Amino acid sequence: MEAGIVSYGAYVPRYRITPTEIGRVWGADGESMGQSLNVHRKSVPAPDEDTITISTEALRVALIRGAIDPQQIGAIYVGSESHPYAVKPTATVVAQAVGATPHLTAADFEFACKAGTAAIQTCLGLVGAEMVRYGVAIGSDTSQGAPGDALEYSASAGGAAFVIGRDHVIARVEHTVSYTTDTPDFWRREGQRYPSHSGRFTGEPAYFRHETECAHHIMEVAGTTPADYRHVVFHQPNGKFPQRVGKQLGFSESQMRYGLVTPYIGNTYSGAALIGLANVLDHAGPGERILVVGYGSGAGSDAFDLTTTDEIAKFDRSFGRPVQSYLDSGVELSYGVYAKFRGKIHMGGS
Amino acid sequence: MSIARFWRETPRRYNLGGSKCTNCGTAYFPPRSVCPTCARHRESIGKMVPFQLSGEGEVYSFTTVHEPAEGFEMQVPYVLALVRTVEGPMLTGQIVDLAPEEVRIGLKVRATFRKLREEGKAGVIHYGYKFAPVEETAVRPPGGSRTAVGTPATPEGDRAPA
């Protein structure tokens, strides 16, 4: 496959809250919760941020870094489970905001946390078939957990945008495969404000099964073993699951070092594995092999076998903020301000 | 604001689309069809071209709003500033990602894409530019791409324990 990643950008909102602060409000031991989840802080969007603004900021950085003319973009797909509109595509606003309209196709993807990786696969198809010069895949979310629910300790906000093309590829996609089943581990019914989940069922039959099966499958197709990869990125609903699945598959902590970002910003859902990949690309040099295995509840995994090219040495990352700066910075909020920002306070009126 | 009016203004609200007089070189935002700077205005007719501002500028003056406009209740107190763009036009916009007490005249800022307001719970959502501080990597993009980049690593934060 000749197509690959031409450019990328990530964006994480400025605010943070700690599990300790969340637990304080609900009479729970938030510190222990944070330690058991390996989530020390999670990002919180400002009241004027949503999936559309996060996607736009991430894509603007990607276009500048790659010096890409927005008019050469033939497709924009935004994967999210928190599209601001139920009907009215996020991708149209993003396309207009980056100056890519009107001669392109655009759509919103939804598959819990793996909608962004599904968008990358679609773009690879379009680019590989030479139907478009550049395809843009974005994974972005402002996820919400019900107040007091276990999800509230990790559900956060952020996103990453990837420009897929054939020229000046910085990371070639050698292979991509998926693994999909009907597994009801996490869902949100139409009209419901917060998602529901099936507790422990979200672990073994859902996350771990799909991650490991998909990882085994792509390594079988590629003829590789964990030792062939310099970096590995898993979906990261918390900081603990990806560490465990990595260990199960035979990857070392050093291989997971850059791909694991959830402990510092929380679970950005559709953005999670993609921000991890962006962080890997921030640090990677030429000729480094990367394995990415995303996961979305419901359930499915998408895996990518990538190799960075010589182009990455020339790639100018000085535009925009590196992922590390988002991991290192942030302004912590009290639960009260967090609840206000996230619309959890009933204000009365219509 | 009506949907139609906002929609007509989308190019300028989303992308800072202004105009430039090719006769004298003056940039305008919002766009003008005749240049008031040219001594003989008629000389600019037909010479005004679309021009996108880079989004970079600095705070010329500002005020802190404590009594919010409708739809801004969640953001009080917030800063509204006059921003002198590097291309010349002065824009009014909200300053985000910085505490009001940290805003100062001369602060380098860049345009950022944010939600401006919602028409109630069921209505349309309006988006557009606001301004965020730039303290690092404020680099002009190559090839004339319009968006400035770089927002500060906020000094308040420190890395969470691994």
Side-chain angles (χ1 to χ4, degrees):
Chain A
M1 194 180 290
E2 288 178 21
I5 296 166
V6 173
S7 187
Y8 67 97
Y11 178 83
V12 181
R14 174 187 188 229
Y15 299 101
R16 304 283 182 273
I17 189 168
T18 63
T20 305
E21 174 65 7
I22 295 169
R24 185 181 65 79
V25 171
W26 297 110
D29 186 348
E31 194 174 347
S32 295
M33 179 68 106
Q35 283 169 359
S36 68
L37 291 172
N38 190 19
V39 172
H40 308 292
R41 299 192 299 177
K42 69 166 196 170
S43 62
V44 180
D48 59 356
E49 292 184 295
D50 62 18
T51 293
I52 286 176
T53 65
I54 290 169
S55 302
T56 300
E57 288 294 307
L59 180 53
R60 282 180 172 178
V61 169
L63 296 181
I64 292 166
R65 284 176 169 175
I68 289 162
D69 175 3
Q71 286 293 309
Q72 297 295 319
I73 296 170
I76 293 183
Y77 299 117
V78 184
S80 179
E81 62 152 60
S82 49
H83 292 290
Y85 291 98
V87 178
K88 165 86 179 86
T90 297
T92 57
V93 185
V94 175
Q96 186 89 43
V98 300
T101 49
H103 297 295
L104 82 166
T105 180
D108 290 356
F109 280 23
E110 192 170 290
F111 193 143
C113 296
K114 83 160 189 76
T117 52
I120 292 179
Q121 289 178 324
T122 306
C123 288
L124 285 168
L126 291 175
V127 167
E130 300 190 14
M131 290 174 67
V132 302
R133 182 169 180 194
Y134 296 119
V136 168
I138 300 170
S140 169
D141 259 308
T142 54
S143 57
Q144 287 255 43
D149 185 87
L151 281 178
E152 196 184 24
Y153 291 87
S154 59
S156 67
F162 289 82
V163 181
I164 307 299
R166 281 184 306 273
D167 42 52
H168 301 293
V169 168
I170 59 169
R172 197 170 56 242
V173 178
E174 313 280 7
H175 304 89
T176 178
V177 303
S178 295
Y179 184 89
T180 307
T181 71
D182 175 8
T183 307
D185 58 327
F186 172 98
W187 61 90
R188 181 166 63 82
R189 293 276 300 275
E190 183 72 37
Q192 291 298 301
R193 185 169 183 182
Y194 299 113
S196 304
H197 56 88
S198 48
R200 286 181 167 276
F201 189 67
T202 59
E204 291 303 334
Y207 177 85
F208 289 100
R209 175 184 168 204
H210 290 76
E211 283 279 341
T212 53
E213 293 287 346
C214 199
H216 283 311
H217 186 203
I218 196 164
M219 286 191 281
E220 189 181 313
V221 169
T224 54
T225 67
D228 293 317
Y229 294 95
R230 178 76 174 269
H231 309 279
V232 63
V233 185
F234 299 107
H235 175 54
Q236 37 206 289
N238 51 54
K240 184 179 67 174
F241 277 20
Q243 286 179 324
R244 211 165 99 196
V245 83
K247 203 171 171 186
Q248 282 176 3
L249 287 163
F251 289 94
S252 67
E253 279 192 17
S254 68
Q255 287 168 296
M256 290 187 263
R257 179 180 170 197
Y258 295 119
L260 185 57
V261 296
T262 288
Y264 312 107
I265 56 172
N267 177 14
T268 53
Y269 282 51
S270 299
L274 297 186
I275 295 173
L277 175 58
N279 195 36
V280 166
L281 293 174
D282 279 350
H283 293 88
E288 296 184 17
R289 204 151 184 177
I290 305 162
L291 179 66
V292 181
V293 190
Y295 173 74
S297 289
S301 274
D302 299 325
F304 301 87
D305 171 26
L306 304 156
T307 305
T308 53
T309 69
D310 292 342
E311 288 285 337
I312 203 167
K314 292 180 265 177
F315 187 69
D316 193 345
R317 301 182 181 92
S318 65
F319 300 124
R321 290 176 61 179
V323 172
Q324 187 64 49
S325 81
Y326 291 115
L327 309 185
D328 291 344
S329 66
V331 174
E332 283 187 10
L333 301 177
S334 65
Y335 191 91
V337 175
Y338 157 78
K340 183 177 82 166
F341 278 13
R342 299 303 289 130
K344 294 180 188 231
I345 299 174
H346 189 264
M347 302 291 288
S350 55
Chain B
M1 184 183 290
S2 74
I3 289 175
R5 182 180 161 197
F6 202 96
W7 177 76
R8 279 196 297 273
E9 294 178 357
T10 293
R12 62 188 88 151
R13 289 187 189 273
Y14 282 16
N15 290 316
L16 295 174
S19 64
K20 191 171 189 175
C21 174
T22 53
N23 193 44
C24 73
T26 307
Y28 294 98
F29 185 91
R32 285 176 174 272
S33 50
V34 175
C35 178
T37 307
C38 284
R40 280 179 289 187
H41 298 180
R42 291 179 64 85
E43 287 179 1
S44 69
I45 293 173
K47 293 178 180 172
M48 303 298 288
V49 295
F51 178 72
Q52 277 193 333
L53 304 180
S54 66
E56 292 177 72
E58 65 178 46
V59 172
Y60 178 81
S61 187
F62 67 95
T63 186
T64 303
V65 180
H66 294 273
E67 292 295 329
E70 188 184 349
F72 287 78
E73 296 84 354
M74 294 294 166
Q75 299 172 55
V76 175
Y78 60 89
V79 171
L80 210 55
L82 291 169
V83 172
R84 173 73 76 186
T85 60
V86 293
E87 294 86 358
M90 184 95 79
L91 275 62
T92 304
Q94 191 181 337
I95 304 292
V96 295
D97 282 359
L98 197 65
E101 58 271 20
E102 294 178 61
V103 178
R104 63 185 193 284
I105 289 170
L107 178 77
K108 302 284 185 200
V109 293
R110 64 117 182 165
T112 182
F113 194 69
R114 293 292 175 106
K115 196 157 63 174
L116 297 182
R117 56 170 300 171
E118 299 178 25
E119 300 284 347
K121 289 288 179 195
V124 295
I125 307 168
H126 298 304
Y127 296 89
Y129 63 85
K130 293 186 180 182
F131 291 94
V134 179
E135 290 172 11
E136 53 176 18
T137 64
V139 185
R140 294 284 296 150
S145 186
R146 61 151 294 285
T147 317
V149 294
T151 53
T154 47
E156 300 92 323
D158 59 348
R159 180 159 191 164

